[in-house]
């Protein structure tokens, strides 16, 4: 079991309160992602759960038990570090056995747990290899295997993929997601990358300056962002936001439309503009349109087949029912 609750938790470093009172529940078996810009308190929150930082006030409960004052090693949680934390001269089996050997677990018991972990992680055929003979994804799995044999209630990851190149990141993201689907152990994953959050999470927790802006499934956040911050943070390229006259037409202070919810035509449409940059990705093209009178730049996703270049005149039309409305405080209006 691994249900994690934060009750009125706060954290200050000296006079600076980085986490104002915060409440959050992560259900057993859930894959929760904490996402937000750098410095918003993601790592601090994870470290408070792990016990690596003390709360200034409030309680941390795991499966209903108050563990606020319990040391990290007694919380039954596993922080997973990057794959290069493996011992290069030891086989996979020895790497996974290492924490159990330190804890004096009998050898037969060690082998039972290693075999079970290897099965869960698809590592059975690699137990006699050394880390140097494994792919990046397999190495990450060994690092997780070392945590699994301790049978943690939850795995905590702090930006485990941020140092990797783009292609490897995508592969590792899939590895971790698949592993969660097989094991169904609670996972909390911290990232500043909204694409990682969207693709991996059951539940996303969006943070800004230590405050939870929204908690929900990836598609909840995409379709119904609670406020302009979440609207701008989730989705890529970012949502276009218009104020002034255009917002007034919709009877609100700001309106937003996503690049993929705006149609483009070279002959007719609601808004007229000039193409600044056309980014050709092959499957899609992102056009950045100027001179619409709506905002400095309006970004639109069009089919990769449409021939559009810098300087072309383009007409844009928002798709029916896709506008997001926000009030003077930036909160969503339904
Ligand atoms: P994130 O992981 O979202 O980038 P952090 O949780 O690391 O953010 O930091 C949140 C805020 O707390 C930042 O303003 C950071 O400077 C501050 N902070 C984090 N750790 C300490 C510390 N040990 N002492 C003082 N300030 C800290
Ligand atoms: Mg951090």
């Amino acid at each position: 079991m691994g249900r994690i609750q934060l009750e009125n938790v706060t954290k200050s470093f000296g006079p600076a309160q980085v986490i104002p009172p915060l409440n959050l529940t992560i259900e057993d078996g859930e894959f929760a992602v904490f996402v937000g810009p750098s410095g918003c308190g993601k790592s601090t929150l994870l470290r408070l759960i792990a016990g690596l930082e003390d709360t200034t006030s409030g309680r941390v409960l795991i499966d209903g038990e108050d563990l606020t004052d319990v040391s990290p090693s007694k919380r039954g949680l596993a922080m997973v570090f990057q794959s290069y934390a493996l011992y290069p001269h030891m086989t996979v089996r020895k790497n996974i056995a290492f924490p159990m050997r330190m804890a004096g677990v009998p050898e037969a018991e060690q082998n039972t747990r290693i075999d079970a972990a290897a099965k869960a992680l698809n590592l059975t055929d690699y137990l006699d290899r050394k880390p140097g003979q494994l792919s990046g994804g397999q190495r990450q799995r060994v690092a997780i295997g070392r945590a699994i044999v301790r049978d943690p209630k939850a795995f905590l990851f702090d930006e485990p993929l941020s140092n990797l190149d783009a292609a490897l990141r995508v592969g590792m993201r899939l590895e971790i997601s698949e592993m969660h689907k097989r094991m169904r152990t609670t996972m909390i994953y911290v990232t500043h990358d909204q694409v990682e959050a969207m693709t991996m999470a059951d539940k996303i927790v969006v943070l800004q300056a230590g405050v939870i802006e929204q908690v929900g499934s990836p598609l909840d956040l995409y379709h119904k962002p609670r406020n302009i911050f979440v609207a701008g943070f989730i989705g890529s390229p970012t949502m276009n936001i218009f104020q002034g006259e255009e917002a007034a037409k919709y009877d609100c202070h700001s309106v937003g439309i996503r690049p993929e919810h705006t149609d483009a035509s070279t002959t007719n449409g609601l808004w007229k503009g000039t193409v600044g940059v056309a980014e050709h990705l092959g499957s899609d093209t992102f056009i950045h349109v100027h001179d619409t009178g709506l905002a400095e730049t309006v970004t639109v996703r069009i089919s990769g087949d449409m021939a559009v270049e810098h300087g072309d005149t383009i007409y844009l039309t928002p798709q029916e029912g896709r506008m997001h409305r926000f009030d003077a405080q930036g909160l969503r209006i339904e």
Side-chain angles (χ1 to χ4, degrees):
M1 290 290 285
R3 182 172 197 258
I4 297 172
Q5 287 167 280
L6 300 175
E7 273 186 12
N8 294 316
V9 162
T10 72
K11 179 66 183 176
S12 299
F13 292 107
Q17 188 179 57
V18 299
I19 310 280
L22 179 146
N23 290 283
L24 178 67
T25 301
I26 291 148
E27 299 298 343
D28 181 42
E30 217 163 37
F31 196 130
V33 175
F34 296 170
V35 69
S38 178
C40 70
K42 305 179 293 293
S43 297
T44 303
L45 215 48
L46 199 70
R47 292 167 61 79
L48 288 171
I49 293 169
L52 299 170
E53 297 282 359
D54 292 328
T55 58
T56 303
S57 63
R59 304 200 303 162
V60 177
L61 294 95
I62 300 173
D63 294 329
E65 196 183 336
D66 184 352
L67 297 184
T68 315
D69 298 319
V70 171
S71 73
S73 63
K74 302 239 161 66
R75 291 192 184 196
L77 306 174
M79 275 295 259
V80 180
F81 298 99
Q82 284 166 354
S83 50
Y84 46 71
L86 300 178
Y87 300 103
H89 58 285
M90 288 186 193
T91 60
V92 168
R93 179 178 288 280
K94 289 230 167 87
N95 264 287
I96 297 177
F98 191 75
M100 293 190 284
R101 238 178 55 216
M102 293 293 106
V105 175
E107 201 167 323
E109 172 69 19
Q110 284 186 28
N111 284 325
T112 307
R113 290 200 217 167
I114 291 169
D115 292 338
K119 202 166 158 219
L121 296 170
N122 279 339
L123 284 172
T124 306
D125 296 338
Y126 303 95
L127 285 171
D128 298 323
R129 293 206 194 172
K130 299 220 171 117
Q133 299 165 293
L134 301 177
S135 71
Q138 290 165 337
R139 279 196 291 246
Q140 180 87 55
R141 277 188 263 155
V142 177
I144 292 164
R146 227 165 31 183
I148 289 183
V149 293
R150 292 167 42 217
D151 194 21
K153 293 180 181 140
F155 293 97
L156 311 181
F157 299 86
D158 193 348
E159 309 226 16
L161 310 184
S162 55
N163 294 333
L164 305 176
D165 68 56
L168 195 51
R169 281 175 79 128
V170 174
M172 304 279 267
R173 202 166 83 194
L174 291 171
E175 294 255 359
I176 295 174
S177 294
E178 287 232 355
M179 193 187 72
H180 177 255
K181 302 238 179 293
R182 278 197 298 273
M183 298 195 324
R184 283 284 156 205
T185 306
T186 309
M187 293 189 180
I188 306 180
Y189 186 101
V190 161
T191 180
H192 65 276
D193 180 345
Q194 65 92 22
V195 175
E196 268 178 31
M198 288 296 280
T199 52
M200 299 174 91
D202 296 319
K203 177 191 270 179
I204 298 181
V205 179
V206 182
L207 290 159
Q208 182 185 209
V211 174
I212 295 179
E213 295 286 355
Q214 190 166 3
V215 178
S217 73
L219 292 181
D220 283 344
L221 270 55
Y222 177 81
H223 289 297
K224 296 199 163 182
R226 248 193 77 223
N227 56 36
I228 289 195
F229 178 79
V230 177
F233 195 77
I234 298 290
S236 177
T238 196
M239 186 188 285
N240 299 294
I241 304 277
F242 312 136
Q243 271 114 19
E245 254 176 65
E246 195 57 30
K249 282 186 204 158
Y250 291 85
D251 203 16
C252 57
H253 281 74
S254 308
V255 285
I257 184 85
R258 296 194 183 277
E260 57 273 37
H261 296 152
T262 311
D263 294 328
S265 158
T266 50
T267 53
N268 62 301
L270 186 65
W271 304 318
K272 184 182 176 190
T274 311
V275 175
V277 173
E279 295 178 293
H280 298 284
L281 303 183
S283 54
D284 304 310
T285 299
F286 298 139
I287 52 173
H288 302 275
V289 180
H290 303 309
D291 310 326
T292 57
L294 297 161
E296 199 170 308
T297 303
V298 180
T299 302
V300 177
R301 191 188 77 185
I302 61 174
S303 159
D305 302 329
M306 195 169 164
V308 175
E309 290 308 334
H310 170 79
D312 288 355
T313 296
I314 193 96
Y315 296 87
L316 307 176
T317 307
Q319 291 168 11
E320 190 71 32
R322 294 290 200 174
M323 280 288 197
H324 299 260
R325 304 192 309 137
F326 302 98
D327 67 14
Q329 279 70 49
L331 292 177
R332 178 182 193 80
I333 306 171
E334 282 302 337

